[in-house]
Amino acid sequence: MKTVNIILMGFGNVGQAFLRVAQEKNEFCRIRYGLDIKFYSIFEIGGAIHSSQALNTSEVIEKYSSLTMFRKNPLWKPDLKLTSVLDSIKPGVLVECTPSNIKSGEPGLRHIRHALDRGWHVVTASKGPLVIDFRGLHEKAENKHVALKFSGATAAALPALDIALYSLAGAEISRIEGILNGTTNYILTRMKEGVDYKEALKEAQSKGIAETDPSLDVSGLDTASKILIISNALQKTDFTLDDMTVEGIDAIPPYLLNQGRKKDRALKLLGILFKRAEELRLEVRLTVIDSSHPLFGVDGTNKGIVFTTDTMDSITVTGGKSDPKGAGASLLKDIINIYRKE
Amino acid sequence: MKTVNIILMGFGNVGQAFLRVAQEKNEFCRIRYGLDIKFYSIFEIGGAIHSSQALNTSEVIEKYSSLTMFRKNPLWKPDLKLTSVLDSIKPGVLVECTPSNIKSGEPGLRHIRHALDRGWHVVTASKGPLVIDFRGLHEKAENKHVALKFSGATAAALPALDIALYSLAGAEISRIEGILNGTTNYILTRMKEGVDYKEALKEAQSKGIAETDPSLDVSGLDTASKILIISNALQKTDFTLDDMTVEGIDAIPPYLLNQGRKKDRALKLLGILFKRAEELRLEVRLTVIDSSHPLFGVDGTNKGIVFTTDTMDSITVTGGKSDPKGAGASLLKDIINIYRKE
């Protein structure tokens, strides 16, 4: 049995979902993978719940999951510093789930750097740090011989990154097309059914699919961040968001909307990596696809991605829970894959 | 740069395709993965081409790829024993590509045991050894701390096994449905279009899709072997072919054929893993699916697989080259994944 020490950064939707999944799967991880997963700290703004004896996670879930209650936990330590915890425990995995800021990368970027510097593995659901400094973080991890994994930051439970990096190892990937954002795909699906944009957005918000401030999703920037991270990881590129043409769904030209409403056609927001004149390019583009396209049936909050390769033909993967639970499960997956014997 | 020593067993379609892919990708593997792949021996019936200085693989491909010429290679050593080669080189990877016998597992079973016993990793495209003694080989590999990988034995370039073992780590998989055999799927697709069984089979043979003796494919036993290997690897079951109900496509009941010919319906040969009364069961079943099924559009020689999970929802992967080149590429993938740093 191998013990895996965890520090969790951020106790919002994804952080909480991760704690729940890890708790529910504790026994399964012991039996199937020989891993004993222990939480030592859960950081939130202003401090952390921390114990040097490992936390009773089921108690945290049952009694202290609301943020008001969270800070009333007897183990709440205001002003506790991440660095002091990192230095006081045998290195394990820092799980980064703080809100993602794609302009600054903070606060996740700082957390991840601290952890890697001290020989901790990092598993992150935050896109921001990877959008801002993928290369730097990757090199830091390499130099320290630790893992930096980020399934949860690309398409949660959809194994986009696993396929790119693992299943297609050795193949050259010439093109990627992905429906990588469930919110925009839901809105586009409803618009095909005749609902107008504002109505569809309101509906998505009332169902908890879209956030109160949906701008990151509907502007295409969330999709852009994901295809950018996939490209920088897979193709060793060094793209920033400024290198990309990014379309959103908030102002769709009427002719595209009409084309997408035809039978056997659909309008999709695709994150695309492609080659032009031997140079790799990235963009997010509103695209009308027909029924022969492998992503044609990917509707509602579903996601999907197609890889075109030289030796393995084209591979398409679709599905995967597009919610905090799926993201939590993908964080757990990354942890298992760091430690397991093959 | 890490050197990877290879012994290749079998120089038929898959063995040759693997040598070609490895040769074409030699430089890519050096640059992208820091791996220098070197071939020392290629075994065929009666002996091997072998050199203690590593083989000139491009010369073997250009001049000695036909089996008649193969044995005229100046490095051909009749009666060379695998065990003596295994003992004379620093351990690397034994790549097993001999014809698969699902009754005895031989000759692959013997090759794999020899290699694992001597601390060599094994990558295999042969189903036979895994069908006959999955548990024994798996334990041997574990005890010797080496890898046993077999993407090429389950669905070639379709990453069925990667997703099961790697991308869904931590999730519990309650059901798997796969179209795992390109030949039968091609014949069923043509039969839906109105062609009768004998005609469709003949067509598949003339196109090189079906073999001269197609019995393993059309009886469902190839599909059965693949779902059995996936189950034994993923669910730690210990199934044999005798535990399974296996249908083929060589005597399809007319009512199924008629149902499958309806619009928005298709008749597919599915390898299925499912639970009944808390017990895992395996079968190969002719199944009429409708257009909402994620494998509905998987036609011709294409393959696909759907995993139903508890935490990650349902994941479907389709595509992947269904030919020797795809199988060769999947062997190379397994090798890269054994050696690469994450």
Side-chain angles (χ1 to χ4, degrees), chain A residues 21 25 28 32-33 142 149 157-159 162-163 165-172 234-236 310-321 325-326 329-330 333 336-337 340-342, chain B residues 21 25 28 32-33 142 149 157-159 162-163 165-172 234-236 310-321 325-326 329-330 333 336-337 340-342:
Chain A
V21 171
K25 295 288 186 172
F28 185 67
R32 178 64 63 92
Y33 306 105
E142 260 199 343
K149 286 189 168 270
L158 181 81
D162 297 341
I163 294 200
L165 297 177
Y166 190 87
S167 299
L168 298 176
E172 278 166 89
L234 173 74
Q235 305 282 28
K236 317 256 175 193
D310 57 347
T311 50
M312 298 195 187
D313 212 356
S314 149
I315 303 263
T316 302
V317 61
T318 58
K321 232 186 177 61
K325 187 172 189 176
S330 70
K333 164 187 75 178
I336 293 168
N337 285 329
R340 74 196 296 187
K341 293 179 291 178
E342 281 301 289
Chain B
V21 171
K25 295 288 187 173
F28 185 65
R32 177 64 64 92
Y33 306 105
E142 259 200 343
K149 287 190 168 266
L158 181 79
D162 297 341
I163 292 199
L165 297 177
Y166 189 87
S167 299
L168 298 175
E172 279 167 89
L234 173 73
Q235 306 282 26
K236 318 256 173 191
D310 58 346
T311 50
M312 298 194 187
D313 211 357
S314 149
I315 304 263
T316 301
V317 61
T318 58
K321 230 187 179 61
K325 185 171 190 177
S330 70
K333 164 187 73 176
I336 292 168
N337 285 329
R340 74 196 297 188
K341 292 180 291 178
E342 282 301 289

Side-chain angles (χ1 to χ4, degrees), chain A residues 104-159:
Chain A
S104 70
E106 295 299 352
L109 188 54
R110 196 168 60 228
H111 301 156
I112 297 176
R113 284 179 179 153
H114 283 323
L116 294 175
D117 278 337
R118 285 160 178 83
W120 284 67
H121 302 296
V122 170
V123 166
T124 176
S126 301
K127 283 175 281 291
L130 303 167
V131 168
I132 297 300
D133 187 26
F134 183 84
R135 199 56 51 214
L137 296 176
H138 180 74
E139 278 166 16
K140 223 183 241 304
E142 260 199 343
N143 291 339
K144 293 285 180 177
H145 305 288
V146 291
L148 168 63
K149 286 189 168 270
F150 41 91
S151 286
T154 48
L158 181 81

Side-chain angles (χ1 to χ4, degrees), chain A residues 9-36:
Chain A
M9 308 304 294
F11 204 55
N13 289 340
V14 175
Q16 290 199 23
F18 168 63
L19 188 70
R20 268 172 218 277
V21 171
Q23 163 69 21
E24 282 166 26
K25 295 288 186 172
N26 193 277
E27 195 59 16
F28 185 67
C29 287
R30 295 170 64 93
I31 296 167
R32 178 64 63 92
Y33 306 105
L35 298 180
D36 185 17

